[in-house]
Amino acid sequence: MDAPNIFEALRESHERQRTLYRQLVETSGDTPERRDLFGQLKEELLAHELAEERHFYIPLMELDAGVDLSRHAIAEHHQLDELVESLDEAEPSSPTWLVQAKKLAHKIEHHLIEEEHRFFQMAGKLLTEQQKTALAKTYLASYAEAKAATA
C-alpha cells in the first residue's frame, strides 16, 4: 500500500475522535465506562493536536496563504483544551458533566468538519504530493510518541 498522505493520516485520528465522543455522550453517571472513554478521548485529542500543530499547521504557517487558516485551527485546539479541562475538573456524576461533554462533542465535530471540508482543500493546493507524504510520516511518528507518553 502507498504511504498515507497527511490528510489520510489526520482523518484516521478524526474518526477515532468521532467514535469516542459519540460513545461518551451516551454514558450516564460516574461509571468506569464514562471515565475510560473520557480518558481515551482526552489522550486522542492531546496526541492529535500536538502532532497536527507541529506537522501540519506549523509547516502551513510558513506559506502566506496558510497563516490565517493555521491560526484559526490552533485557536480552536485551545478551545477544545479548555473544554477538556473543565470536564476534568467537573464531577462525572453531575448533570452538568454530560452537558459539558456534549458541548465538547459539538465543538470537536465543528472543528473536524471545518478541517476536512475547508482546511484540507486549501492545504491540498499549497502542499506538493511529496510534502503531503513527508508530513504524514512525521505526523504519525509524533502522534505515536505522544500517545506512548500518555499511556
Side-chain angles (χ1 to χ4, degrees), residues 17-35:
Q17 291 171 45
R18 283 185 171 107
T19 299
L20 289 167
Y21 80 64
R22 285 177 181 144
Q23 291 173 337
L24 181 65
V25 298
E26 294 301 316
T27 64
S28 59
D30 186 0
T31 61
E33 180 193 22
R34 177 175 275 184
R35 287 182 181 269

Side-chain angles (χ1 to χ4, degrees), residues 58-121:
I58 299 297
L60 281 173
M61 284 181 112
E62 293 174 14
L63 309 166
D64 290 345
V67 172
D68 287 343
L69 162 138
S70 298
R71 283 188 182 146
H72 179 81
I74 290 169
E76 285 192 349
H77 283 177
H78 183 67
Q79 292 169 345
L80 291 172
D81 294 342
E82 287 177 343
L83 286 168
V84 166
E85 202 174 298
S86 72
L87 271 173
D88 240 347
E89 293 166 0
E91 187 52 51
S93 61
S94 77
T96 56
W97 197 93
L98 188 58
V99 171
Q100 283 291 97
K102 286 180 177 176
K103 190 174 173 184
L104 174 63
H106 177 77
K107 189 72 183 165
I108 292 169
E109 186 57 26
H110 162 83
H111 179 70
L112 299 182
I113 287 172
E114 199 169 39
E115 273 188 355
E116 292 167 357
H117 297 281
R118 234 179 85 215
F119 299 173
F120 286 8
Q121 277 65 24

Side-chain angles (χ1 to χ4, degrees), residues 7-46:
F7 308 115
E8 293 160 341
L10 292 171
R11 272 194 192 96
E12 274 183 40
S13 175
H14 288 183
E15 288 311 309
R16 280 191 292 277
Q17 291 171 45
R18 283 185 171 107
T19 299
L20 289 167
Y21 80 64
R22 285 177 181 144
Q23 291 173 337
L24 181 65
V25 298
E26 294 301 316
T27 64
S28 59
D30 186 0
T31 61
E33 180 193 22
R34 177 175 275 184
R35 287 182 181 269
D36 180 53
L37 287 167
F38 178 59
Q40 286 182 59
L41 180 60
K42 199 164 74 168
E43 186 182 292
E44 184 64 35
L45 287 171
L46 190 68

